[in-house]
Amino acid sequence: MTEIQKRQDRSPVPSAFDYAPAPESREIVSLEERYGLFVGGEWVEPKSGESHPTISPATEEELAEVAYAGPEDVGLAVDAARDAFDNGWSDIAPSERAKYLFRIARLLQERSREFAVLESLDGGKPIRESRDVDLPLAAAHFFYYAGWADKLEYAFPNRRPKPVGVAGQIIPWNFPLLMLSWKIAPALAAGNTVVLKPAESTPLTALLFCDVVRQAELPPGVVNIVTGDGRAGAELVKHPGVDKVAFTGSTDVGKEIQRAVAGTGKKLTLELGGKAANIIFDDAPLDQAVEGIINGIYFNQGHVCCAGSRLLVQESIYEQVIAKLKRRMGTLRVGDPLDKNTDIGAINSKAQLERIQELVRSGEEEGADVFQPECRLPEKGWWFAPTVFTNVAQSYRIAQEEIFGPVLSVLTFRTPDEAVEKANNTPYGLAAGVWTEKGSRILSMAQRLRAGVVWANTYNRFDPTSPFGGYKESGFGREGGLHGLEAYVRFD
């Protein structure tokens, strides 16, 4: 026996592989102690005199003090946007507007690590998702709409598109920078100016974006950022100087906005809640489908409006799918969002955690069977283990209401007709997924599912060229693609 073989014999064979922590450095992000409002290209103190801290959901530490805009602050921001629109931005050559958008896109790429760390720090999502999904997509939207800025006459032939004016935009806390990009990029490409209000719990990447605006040398007032809570959003919606309102958030708030805008002549797009069905047929590639299920509901802790929170499994493969799903859930790592090994980060806020806990309790009380893999949750911060409910009836709250957390409800079906009926049996209509090897079945299901986006043998895949939006209580209008551009133009 050789010496090498002897050394190999003495080495113990590991029974399991553990991940050592691989934290991303926080040092790349430099936070101010206090942030004001970004109005007319400058930082200004709020006339309201109000400010509140933004909290890291993973550690409950205060990251920074952030100004809360009042009615007068919102009015000044709208005035600054109007002045920028009337005095140059809407009239400059479209090719010049395109240059600004290209600059912003490149700056987001150059500063992507900084933005990714801040997004995970402020929002709680895993750094892998911020780094590999949010930032590349944010930059891609600016690149895409930069390409359209000087081609509007080709985008809308024979229709003479013109900018709408001042756009009031309100974004949610689940994808702060990406939602900012979805809204600002098409608005600027079409020649509009913007007043944007980020969510009160995740304002920091929007505030850092103000520095990108400065670096890109965007004319003052073209982009204005006013932070605050729902009161600031309501002031922005009802301000008479706003020509277009774009909102992403809850269905209840969306209904309030629609009532407020009715009769004013303002253009409106709403991207609201969802309760998407992820449908697994018996001929689906099961291992691939299980990965799609995981990505569909546990991506970003389930804080996704189009999350595949209802799993519809054909009866003949039900037990096999559930066994594979539970085994895969056991490998998910819950913990520090800045650890590159983390799969599921922190719940965005204490209020959202309580909402998830309340709905999970209702599922148990109504008779569903709950499963959670063994995992140790950190003592500080707001956390919830990945959860799956089986033995779920259509009438249960967990099958009807949007939970917006890492909670999956499983139902079964026998035929494609039953799958369509169950999938459409919801007030929402934002997205759906279909898993099967038959192309004809995919096309048939996509035609019959009442959802704005239908993914086939994948889930939660986005592209700036493809429109996204919903039906019914999931809102109306589209973001992304030419459809997203049309919302920011008017025609003579």
Side-chain angles (χ1 to χ4, degrees):
M1 184 177 291
T2 67
E3 186 66 19
I4 294 177
Q5 286 175 320
K6 289 179 181 178
R7 284 202 297 269
Q8 287 176 335
D9 289 343
R10 295 192 189 104
S11 302
V13 177
S15 59
F17 292 94
D18 294 324
Y19 286 86
E24 176 61 276
S25 173
R26 289 180 53 167
E27 299 302 316
I28 193 172
V29 175
S30 178
L31 289 173
E32 303 290 337
E33 290 185 8
R34 190 176 186 285
Y35 289 91
L37 308 172
F38 189 71
V39 176
E42 297 180 352
W43 292 105
V44 298
E45 286 299 311
K47 301 292 185 182
S48 67
E50 188 177 351
S51 64
H52 294 274
T54 180
I55 308 296
S56 171
T59 61
E60 299 181 53
E61 65 176 300
E62 293 186 6
L63 298 174
E65 191 82 8
V66 177
Y68 271 38
E72 189 177 356
D73 300 303
V74 172
L76 291 172
V78 173
D79 290 343
R82 176 63 61 190
D83 184 62
F85 179 79
D86 291 338
N87 296 298
W89 180 252
S90 61
D91 295 326
I92 67 171
S95 58
E96 290 300 309
R97 284 204 300 269
K99 290 178 183 178
Y100 287 109
L101 270 73
F102 275 121
R103 286 181 198 166
I104 291 171
R106 288 194 296 268
L107 286 165
L108 286 176
Q109 287 183 322
E110 291 168 6
R111 302 178 64 173
S112 61
R113 185 182 174 203
E114 180 184 5
F115 272 98
V117 170
L118 187 56
E119 196 80 313
S120 293
L121 195 62
D122 198 27
K125 66 174 61 183
I127 186 66
R128 286 192 295 115
E129 295 176 6
S130 300
R131 179 194 65 198
D132 299 341
V133 179
D134 293 40
L135 262 298
L137 270 176
H141 274 79
F142 278 100
F143 275 126
Y144 175 72
Y145 284 112
W148 275 117
D150 62 348
K151 304 176 186 67
L152 295 181
E153 67 272 24
Y154 300 103
F156 309 105
N158 303 316
R159 298 179 70 186
R160 296 186 179 179
K162 293 184 177 181
V164 174
V166 176
Q169 304 175 326
I170 303 170
I171 58 174
W173 45 259
N174 55 339
F175 292 94
L177 186 67
L178 183 56
M179 294 295 101
L180 176 151
S181 302
W182 278 24
K183 287 179 168 50
I184 290 182
L188 299 192
N192 302 280
T193 55
V194 166
V195 179
L196 180 134
K197 191 202 84 68
E200 61 265 35
S201 63
T202 54
L204 294 184
T205 45
L207 294 170
L208 183 60
F209 181 78
C210 298
D211 195 49
V212 169
V213 168
R214 177 194 60 79
Q215 279 187 278
E217 298 180 351
L218 203 65
V222 173
V223 170
N224 305 273
I225 307 290
V226 292
T227 47
D229 56 15
R231 295 170 296 169
E235 291 295 333
L236 184 59
V237 167
K238 70 183 184 183
H239 195 287
V242 170
D243 303 298
K244 148 81 179 167
V245 174
F247 172 77
T248 297
S250 72
T251 296
D252 289 342
V253 175
K255 290 177 179 178
E256 291 180 21
I257 291 174
Q258 190 170 10
R259 284 191 289 267
V261 169
T264 64
K266 297 178 183 179
K267 294 192 72 171
L268 176 65
T269 50
L270 298 173
E271 195 261 282
L272 309 176
K275 194 69 179 174
N278 209 357
I279 305 168
I280 316 295
F281 284 96
D282 56 7
D283 62 341
L286 294 190
D287 290 325
Q288 181 183 340
V290 167
E291 291 305 310
I293 296 166
I294 294 290
N295 188 52
I297 184 60
Y298 302 124
F299 174 71
N300 196 24
Q301 299 78 256
H303 297 335
V304 185
C305 50
C306 56
S309 53
R310 290 183 300 146
L311 177 63
L312 303 184
V313 184
Q314 201 154 14
E315 279 189 3
S316 58
I317 57 169
Y318 171 77
E319 293 182 0
Q320 190 178 0
V321 168
I322 296 303
K324 285 179 176 287
L325 176 60
K326 289 180 177 179
R327 186 162 58 248
R328 179 66 176 89
M329 289 173 66
T331 68
L332 296 176
R333 298 176 295 275
V334 182
D336 181 8
L338 291 181
D339 189 335
K340 301 181 188 75
N341 294 320
T342 294
D343 297 302
I344 299 177
I347 301 302
N348 183 263
S349 66
K350 184 178 181 181
Q352 184 60 30
L353 176 60
E354 291 171 351
R355 160 80 176 167
I356 295 168
Q357 291 169 334
E358 191 264 327
L359 280 166
V360 166
R361 281 194 299 270
S362 78
E364 294 177 288
E365 290 166 1
E366 287 181 308
D369 298 324
V370 64
F371 169 80
Q372 292 177 325
E374 289 185 15
C375 62
R376 182 179 297 174
L377 301 181
E379 295 180 5
K380 280 281 254 186
W382 304 305
W383 310 89
F384 199 82
T387 303
V388 61
F389 277 105
T390 53
N391 192 29
V392 177
Q394 284 274 88
S395 60
Y396 290 179
R397 288 182 64 194
I398 54 173
Q400 289 294 321
E401 297 182 28
E402 185 179 34
I403 300 175
F404 224 61
V407 181
L408 178 66
S409 298
V410 185
L411 301 97
T412 61
F413 67 92
R414 294 182 180 180
T415 66
D417 288 343
E418 184 183 358
V420 170
E421 184 177 355
K422 286 187 172 181
N424 289 341
N425 184 22
T426 173
Y428 300 106
L430 194 55
V434 178
W435 297 81
T436 175
E437 69 172 11
K438 295 182 175 66
S440 58
R441 179 179 284 164
I442 290 170
L443 295 174
S444 172
M445 293 292 291
Q447 273 190 322
R448 299 166 66 193
L449 290 169
R450 193 66 174 156
V453 175
V454 179
W455 285 291
N457 293 330
T458 188
Y459 206 92
N460 271 341
R461 300 296 178 187
F462 298 93
D463 189 278
T465 67
S466 179
F468 180 86
Y471 297 97
K472 300 187 285 187
E473 291 197 6
S474 289
F476 52 82
R478 295 293 182 266
E479 293 182 299
L482 282 179
H483 301 70
L485 193 60
E486 188 171 9
Y488 290 95
V489 297
R490 60 182 175 85
F491 304 102
D492 289 338

